[in-house]
């Protein structure tokens, strides 16, 4: 069986590898789910892995199969599996358990272990293959009515977790009623977070570099948010105009922006960092001013990564509600389908082209 793989540590090594066909009974206790891949989304993480900034091969392999945003159809299930059956659409979580208490309670997304195991990213092969198998515990059903957005399940889970983390941690305030939010970045995470915050009734400004007019602006407006290009309006000018946000979700992929966002958060606000920055860049920050304002303003910074099956369910519920509130808008994120994964160079080139919003591979019809 063919797979799209990289050699971790070697730059631009994306290539086609051979893998044995996955076996249902390789998963113990009849808990296996065998899935035929329909679509796999790719994102900046795949690009960073191909640039050797990030990612490791599973033990015993010198390659890592890519793909962590999967949408597929169930082909067969073991006797102990009850929540999906052959013919159902599904997606799959990314992290696999480590040895800590969090992993034991199904919270692999907050493992206490330094090492983490992620399909398609770190120490576990991904889904960029014709078929794959996994434990029922990690397979999430995608409703028939959402199949056109199924490939966004994983990114949606990441956004759902980020927002959940803000609301959970802000319980420290006893009353938190955020009204104004900034979303930094208008890639898939920025746009889906914009949708989810609009669904929760917040006024949302989505801030990114891409100049107006364009698709990002159109999608944000269609969600009832406002797109702000930093080419035209600086972050400080935006704050002068609309005030300081109670919530900021940062998803630009730039650590400089992540730190810069600290300057503009409102008193009692929450800033959620979601960018995974594989490089080694450094940046200068006005640390005295930020430190003072954060202490005097009781502000909160929370990092959020990955999502467990509960976040996948929430993400799918939000995608569904999004279709009711803003029909047809979310599909517009899916700009760039690629037929098959046999041209890895082309996939990587498209990923590097900022005019493509979402690149995803159609593995099968
Ligand atoms: C994935 C997450 C993963 C993170 C860190 C992201 O691109 O969407 O599931 O936890 O990378 O590796
Ligand atoms: Zn990702």
């Amino acid at each position: 069986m063919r797979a799209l793989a990289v050699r971790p540590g070697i730059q631009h090594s994306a290539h086609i590898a051979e893998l044995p066909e996955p076996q249902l009974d390789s998963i113990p206790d009849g808990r296996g789910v065998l899935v035929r891949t329909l679509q796999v989304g790719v994102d900046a993480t795949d690009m960073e892995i191909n640039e050797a900034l990030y990612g490791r091969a599973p033990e015993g392999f010198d390659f890592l199969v890519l793909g962590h945003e999967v949408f597929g159809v169930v082909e067969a299930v073991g006797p102990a599996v009850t929540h999906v059956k052959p013919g159902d659409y599904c997606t799959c979580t990314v992290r696999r358990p480590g040895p800590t208490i969090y992993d034991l309670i199904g919270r692999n997304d907050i493992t206490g272990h330094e090492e983490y195991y992620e399909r398609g990213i770190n120490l576990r092969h991904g889904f960029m293959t014709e078929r794959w198998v996994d434990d029922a515990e990690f397979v999430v059903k995608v409703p028939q009515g959402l199949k056109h957005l199924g490939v966004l399940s994983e990114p949606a889970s990441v956004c759902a977790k980020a927002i959940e983390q803000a609301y959970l941690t802000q319980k420290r305030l006893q009353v938190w009623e955020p009204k104004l939010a900034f979303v930094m970045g208008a890639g898939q995470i920025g746009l889906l977070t914009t949708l989810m915050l609009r669904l929760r009734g917040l006024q949302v400004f989505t801030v990114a570099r891409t100049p107006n007019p364009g698709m990002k602006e159109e999608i944000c407006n269609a969600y009832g948010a406002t797109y702000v290009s930093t080419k035209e309006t600086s972050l400080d000018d935006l704050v002068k105009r609309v005030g300081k946000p109670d919530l900021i979700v940062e998803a630009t992929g730039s650590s400089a922006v992540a730190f810069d966002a600290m300057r503009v958060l409102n008193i009692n606000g929450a800033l959620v960092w979601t960018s995974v920055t594989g490089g080694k860049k450094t940046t200068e920050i006005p640390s005295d001013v930020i430190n003072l304002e954060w202490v005097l303003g009781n502000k909160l910074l929370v990092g959020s990564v990955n999502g467990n099956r509960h976040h996948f369910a929430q993400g799918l519920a939000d995608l569904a509600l999004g279709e009711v509130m803003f029909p047809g808008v979310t599909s517009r994120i899916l700009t760039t389908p690629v037929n098959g994964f046999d041209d890895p160079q082309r996939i990587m080139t498209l990923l590097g082209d900022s005019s493509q919003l979402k690149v995803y591979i159609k593995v099968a019809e």
Side-chain angles (χ1 to χ4, degrees):
M1 177 180 75
R2 292 148 47 79
L4 174 58
V6 295
R7 285 183 212 294
I10 302 177
Q11 285 190 341
H12 311 296
S13 61
H15 65 281
I16 302 296
E18 264 303 314
L19 274 188
E21 280 287 335
Q23 302 298 327
L24 193 61
D25 53 18
S26 64
I27 308 292
D29 306 326
R31 301 183 46 83
V33 180
L34 178 69
V35 179
R36 186 157 59 93
T37 309
L38 297 176
Q39 298 174 1
V40 182
V42 286
D43 72 354
T45 299
D46 299 285
M47 208 165 65
E48 291 205 337
I49 295 172
N50 192 42
E51 280 163 9
L53 290 170
Y54 196 67
R56 283 158 64 199
E59 220 181 278
F61 290 86
D62 63 353
F63 64 88
L64 167 75
V65 175
L66 287 180
H68 64 278
E69 303 176 1
V70 75
F71 173 61
V73 61
V74 175
E75 279 203 331
V77 299
V81 179
T82 53
H83 77 301
V84 284
K85 57 181 187 315
D88 283 349
Y89 292 114
C90 70
T91 181
C92 198
T93 65
V94 176
R95 278 218 181 161
R96 295 296 165 267
T100 75
I101 180 99
Y102 303 105
D103 303 282
L104 289 175
I105 60 164
R107 292 297 311 270
N108 319 329
D109 62 309
I110 53 166
T111 184
H113 201 39
E114 286 285 345
E115 199 76 275
Y116 57 88
Y117 308 92
E118 289 183 342
R119 289 198 67 165
I121 300 177
N122 212 43
L123 301 168
R124 294 285 181 271
H125 284 318
F127 303 104
M128 198 76 86
T129 57
E130 287 149 24
R131 285 186 178 69
W132 48 271
V133 71
D134 214 326
D135 193 297
E137 185 181 342
F138 308 118
V139 176
V140 179
K141 185 168 167 171
V142 173
Q144 171 85 25
L146 270 185
K147 67 173 184 216
H148 61 300
L149 300 179
V151 73
L152 291 174
S153 303
E154 197 275 344
S157 75
V158 167
C159 305
K161 175 176 171 184
I163 294 169
E164 177 209 55
Q165 294 295 294
Y167 279 83
L168 283 176
T169 47
Q170 288 293 71
K171 291 229 158 103
R172 74 194 171 111
L173 299 172
Q174 294 179 274
V175 185
W176 190 53
E177 288 175 349
K179 296 202 166 51
L180 178 63
F182 286 4
V183 175
M184 311 301 292
Q188 59 173 355
I189 300 299
L191 292 174
L192 292 175
T193 300
T194 299
L195 163 65
M196 292 179 189
L197 293 176
R198 288 291 302 130
L199 293 175
R200 283 161 184 73
L202 278 84
Q203 186 186 13
V204 182
F205 290 85
T206 308
V207 184
R209 274 183 309 198
T210 314
N212 287 317
M215 207 159 34
K216 293 178 175 179
E217 183 197 22
E218 283 171 23
I219 292 172
C220 288
N221 290 349
Y223 284 148
T226 305
Y227 178 82
V228 178
S229 166
T230 51
K231 292 253 153 58
E232 288 144 24
T233 309
S234 71
L235 195 55
D236 295 295
D237 286 341
L238 178 63
V239 169
K240 271 186 213 135
R241 218 172 74 208
V242 304
K244 290 185 166 184
D246 309 305
L247 171 63
I248 304 179
V249 179
E250 199 287 327
T252 61
S254 158
S255 55
V257 176
F259 276 90
D260 197 45
M262 297 183 83
R263 292 188 306 107
V264 300
L265 186 68
N266 201 4
I267 287 175
N268 287 346
L271 166 58
V272 188
W273 278 359
T274 73
S275 293
V276 178
T277 50
K280 293 268 181 295
K281 289 200 194 79
T282 59
T283 184
E284 216 170 276
I285 51 164
S287 51
D288 268 354
V289 175
I290 290 177
N291 186 85
L292 180 71
E293 289 181 352
W294 275 60
V295 169
L296 297 182
N298 290 292
K299 302 181 192 187
L300 175 89
L301 172 63
V302 54
S304 178
V305 71
N306 196 251
N308 64 33
R309 59 174 310 129
H310 148 82
H311 302 115
F312 273 72
Q314 183 61 55
L316 284 164
D318 282 351
L319 289 175
L321 184 57
E323 287 298 89
V324 175
M325 302 296 286
F326 313 107
V329 179
T330 305
S331 320
R332 299 180 62 187
I333 296 175
L334 295 171
T335 50
T336 318
V338 176
N339 277 322
F341 51 74
D342 30 47
D343 190 351
Q345 288 351 304
R346 172 147 181 269
I347 294 171
M348 291 302 160
T349 308
L350 285 169
L351 260 178
D353 172 357
S354 59
S355 66
Q356 317 293 332
L357 210 46
K358 182 64 195 169
V359 183
Y360 64 105
I361 318 306
K362 288 177 140 182
V363 180
E365 280 304 320

